[in-house]
């Protein structure tokens, strides 16, 4: 265990860190889930060479470090520990570099601007230190317990930048947002430290209001790159952060296939799932399971409205997950509320197939409308919902094209 690296925390099930460190350094990176009473012994006895520290131990570990970096001391928390030759521990904080990177890549200029920081925990301290270092005009902390809280947000309607440093909106509680952004008409950008889901409810609202919206994945990777440099005593180019961020986003986000009924979503989805080692979720199949009857039966007995309601409920559940291939139903685009559910954690791929090649048998809406009638009504929706479009040829070739276009 002497050369071992890893992450110390309490609950680490959904951590992206092992994958990030595998990309950065190729060394073994383990998850050390410890209860509070086990932390001291782990730090004293553990044979690790370097570790990252996460919730809830970023402060707990500080007294066990023989030396702290200036950043760790200033921020008051440690997210990286290196065991030195003599066995003593050196504590540092690379979240600072991570948030600095997040600001830089967002293109937001901070100097002189009023910023709101949501939350008053460890991450908020780091955020405030970076914003102050960049000369932000006024930095206001919104805390449930503070003078500036969620009941008087209108005091700060002039904020230009909002940073979410609370866990509100994080998987699995994805339906929550710490604030409603309509209170902030002057806000230009929202930075959310959360990275799972890729687009929190807060970020989706920011996008819909025309604000820049950035998630915390780049920050997570940059703090890991800086930690990895310390662990391995070598320089890793900053360009690695963008590369690894793209790799992690590609492997953790779902691939959602949309398109006309019969365009090949299930077949191409099956091929993608097999090639990428992912689970295929066929939404029509999930709806049938939930309703306990076939789709023609749902349409005949309960009507299309009920089918659409079920479809949205199924999508709301599936869209919490990561790394799936999702074959949607052709009509998923007919309900606007399905778009944020898809965008939450999925890359949306439109499969295009010539109308004359689309089958019609057994599909309730295809009995009512011809494929061209459906296509005319839906084409604008498919086009505005998609991230990329791929023309369907045979399933193997089509799956290959999707993988290539999404750079997976
Ligand atoms: P934390 O200390 O557990 O929580 C931060 C603060 O959020 C709390 O002090 C609290 O502030 C507020 N808060 C907690 N639950 C809330 C709720 N239900 N409603 C409203 N406010 C609530 O966590 P942290 O370490 O600072 O991390 C905060 C978030 O940033 C987490 O989601 C974490 O995953 C993320 N993060 C991301 C990165 C990255 O690299 N992307 C790095 C660090 C942290 P008040 O009690 O003052 O309201």
């Amino acid at each position: 265990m002497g050369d071992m690296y890893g992450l110390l925390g309490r609950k680490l099930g959904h951590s992206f860190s092992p994958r990030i460190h595998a990309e950065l350094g190729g060394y073994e990176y383990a998850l050390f889930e410890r209860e509070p009473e086990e932390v001291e012994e782990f730090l004293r006895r553990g044979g690790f060479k370097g570790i990252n520290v996460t919730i809830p131990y970023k402060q707990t570990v500080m007294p066990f470090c023989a030396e702290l970096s200036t950043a760790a001391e200033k921020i008051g928390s440690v997210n990286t520990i290196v065991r030195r030759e003599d066995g003593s521990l050196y504590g540092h904080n690379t979240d600072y570099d991570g948030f600095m990177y997040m600001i830089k890549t967002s293109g937001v200029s901070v100097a002189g601007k009023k910023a709101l920081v949501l939350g008053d925990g460890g991450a908020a301290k780091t955020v405030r230190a970076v914003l102050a270092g960049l000369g932000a005009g006024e930095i206001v902390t919104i805390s449930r317990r503070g003078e500036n809280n969620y009941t008087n947000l209108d005091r700060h309607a002039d904020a230009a930048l909002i940073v979410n440093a609370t866990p509100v909106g994080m998987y699995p509680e994805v339906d929550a947002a710490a604030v409603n952004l309509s209170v902030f008409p002057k806000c230009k950008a929202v930075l959310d430290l959360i990275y799972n889901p890729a687009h929190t409810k807060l970020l989706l609202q920011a996008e819909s209001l025309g604000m820049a919206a950035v998630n915390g994945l780049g920050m997570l990777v940059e703090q890991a790159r800086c930690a990895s440099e310390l662990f391995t005593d070598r320089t890793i180019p900053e360009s690695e952060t963008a590369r690894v961020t793209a790799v992690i986003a590609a492997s953790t986000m779902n691939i959602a296939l949309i398109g006309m009924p019969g365009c090949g979503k299930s077949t191409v989805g099956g091929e993608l799932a097999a090639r990428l080692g992912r689970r295929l979720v066929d939404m029509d199949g999930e709806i049938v399971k939930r309703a306990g009857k076939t789709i023609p039966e749902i349409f005949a007995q309960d009507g299309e409205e009920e089918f659409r309601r079920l479809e949205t409920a199924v999508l709301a559940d599936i869209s919490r997950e990561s790394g799936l291939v999702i074959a949607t139903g052709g009509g998923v685009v007919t309900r606007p509320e399905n778009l944020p559910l898809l965008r939450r954690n999925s890359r949306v791929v439109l499969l295009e197939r010539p109308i004359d090649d689309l089958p019609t048998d057994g599909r309730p809406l295809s009995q009512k409308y011809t494929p061209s009638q459906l296509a005319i009504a839906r084409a604008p929706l498919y086009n505005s919902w998609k991230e990329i479009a791929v023309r369907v040829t045979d399933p193997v070739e089509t799956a290959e094209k999707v993988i290539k276009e999404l750079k997976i």
Side-chain angles (χ1 to χ4, degrees):
M1 185 161 157
D3 272 350
M4 199 174 238
Y5 304 100
L7 177 63
L8 168 67
R10 196 164 186 188
K11 290 213 164 47
L12 301 170
H14 286 272
S15 175
F16 293 176
S17 292
R19 265 180 279 183
I20 294 172
H21 283 271
E23 285 288 334
L24 287 170
Y27 42 79
E28 197 183 335
Y29 189 93
L31 296 179
F32 302 113
E33 286 191 348
R34 295 291 184 275
E35 288 302 312
E37 62 277 12
E38 299 170 326
V39 170
E40 179 172 351
E41 208 217 326
F42 171 77
L43 291 172
R44 291 196 192 284
R45 189 195 50 85
F48 60 84
K49 196 164 170 201
I51 50 166
N52 290 118
V53 184
T54 190
I55 299 173
Y57 300 133
K58 288 187 186 183
Q59 271 105 36
T60 318
V61 299
M62 292 178 74
F64 303 103
C65 295
E67 193 189 340
L68 294 173
S69 70
T70 319
E73 227 160 61
K74 210 163 113 194
I75 296 163
S77 83
V78 160
N79 84 326
T80 303
I81 296 177
V82 181
R83 191 179 292 285
R84 300 187 288 200
E85 290 286 304
D86 65 359
S88 67
L89 301 178
Y90 172 73
H92 182 43
N93 189 311
T94 63
D95 284 338
Y96 186 94
D97 309 274
F99 187 66
M100 185 66 90
Y101 176 88
M102 193 171 166
I103 293 265
K104 267 201 265 168
T105 49
S106 72
V108 177
S109 77
V110 170
K113 301 280 165 54
K114 175 165 179 172
L116 288 198
V117 180
L118 311 179
D120 195 14
K125 277 193 205 163
T126 310
V127 166
R128 288 195 298 260
V130 173
L131 291 175
L134 291 171
E138 191 187 346
I139 304 168
V140 179
T141 298
I142 305 295
S143 159
R144 291 169 299 179
R145 303 159 278 129
E147 192 203 327
N148 293 301
N149 56 58
Y150 297 92
T151 64
N152 55 30
L153 290 171
D154 50 335
R155 286 183 183 177
H156 305 291
D158 55 341
L161 169 68
I162 294 175
V163 183
N164 179 38
T166 78
V168 181
M170 187 164 74
Y171 176 88
E173 310 294 341
V174 295
D175 290 320
V179 296
N180 182 341
L181 295 170
S182 55
V183 181
F184 307 104
K186 303 223 164 111
C187 181
K188 294 274 178 290
V190 177
L191 308 185
D192 196 333
L193 267 54
I194 293 171
Y195 44 84
N196 184 12
H199 300 102
T200 56
K201 189 172 176 189
L202 187 75
L203 288 185
L204 289 170
Q205 191 192 15
E207 280 180 3
S208 75
L209 293 171
M211 302 169 184
V214 183
N215 74 20
L217 186 57
M219 174 175 175
L220 182 74
V221 176
E222 175 66 0
Q223 67 73 26
R225 182 187 71 84
C226 296
S228 185
E229 287 192 328
L230 263 188
F231 290 164
T232 59
D233 202 16
R234 70 194 169 111
T235 308
I236 304 172
E238 197 181 308
S239 58
E240 273 294 272
T241 300
R243 182 191 71 77
V244 175
T245 303
V247 168
I248 301 298
S251 70
T252 51
M253 287 180 75
N254 304 312
I255 302 169
L257 303 175
I258 62 169
M260 285 285 286
C263 71
K265 297 183 291 289
S266 303
T267 340
V268 174
E271 195 55 42
L272 277 170
R275 278 171 177 259
L276 298 171
R278 295 186 180 203
R279 185 159 73 87
L280 171 70
V281 177
D282 186 81
M283 280 195 46
D284 281 355
E286 294 298 313
I287 294 168
V288 168
K289 263 193 245 161
R290 198 169 284 210
K293 45 184 142 180
T294 66
I295 289 175
E297 279 167 359
I298 301 171
F299 270 77
Q301 295 167 18
D302 312 312
E304 185 181 350
E305 216 18 62
E306 174 58 12
F307 175 80
R308 296 285 167 225
R309 194 193 62 73
L310 277 170
E311 185 176 50
T312 299
V314 164
L315 185 58
D317 284 350
I318 294 169
S319 69
R320 288 167 199 278
E321 304 302 324
S322 295
L324 301 175
V325 177
I326 303 170
T328 66
V332 76
V333 293
T334 59
R335 275 200 161 201
E337 59 268 45
N338 291 342
L339 181 58
L341 295 177
L342 277 178
R343 295 258 307 115
R344 181 189 274 166
N345 214 22
S346 303
R347 320 275 309 265
V348 181
V349 178
L350 170 62
L351 295 184
E352 292 179 315
R353 195 173 176 194
I355 292 172
D356 292 342
D357 295 351
L358 296 172
T360 55
D361 22 306
R363 294 164 201 268
L365 285 187
S366 303
Q367 312 299 312
K368 213 161 136 196
Y369 306 104
T370 65
S372 357
Q373 283 171 322
L374 271 184
I376 287 165
R378 288 182 181 172
L381 293 168
Y382 287 139
N383 278 310
S384 66
W385 285 40
K386 66 156 205 288
E387 181 183 328
I388 60 158
V390 169
R391 210 162 174 73
V392 176
T393 47
D394 78 88
V396 174
E397 201 179 67
T398 312
E400 276 167 7
K401 277 193 273 184
V402 173
I403 290 169
K404 192 164 160 230
E405 293 263 329
L406 292 178
K407 300 192 175 73
I408 294 177

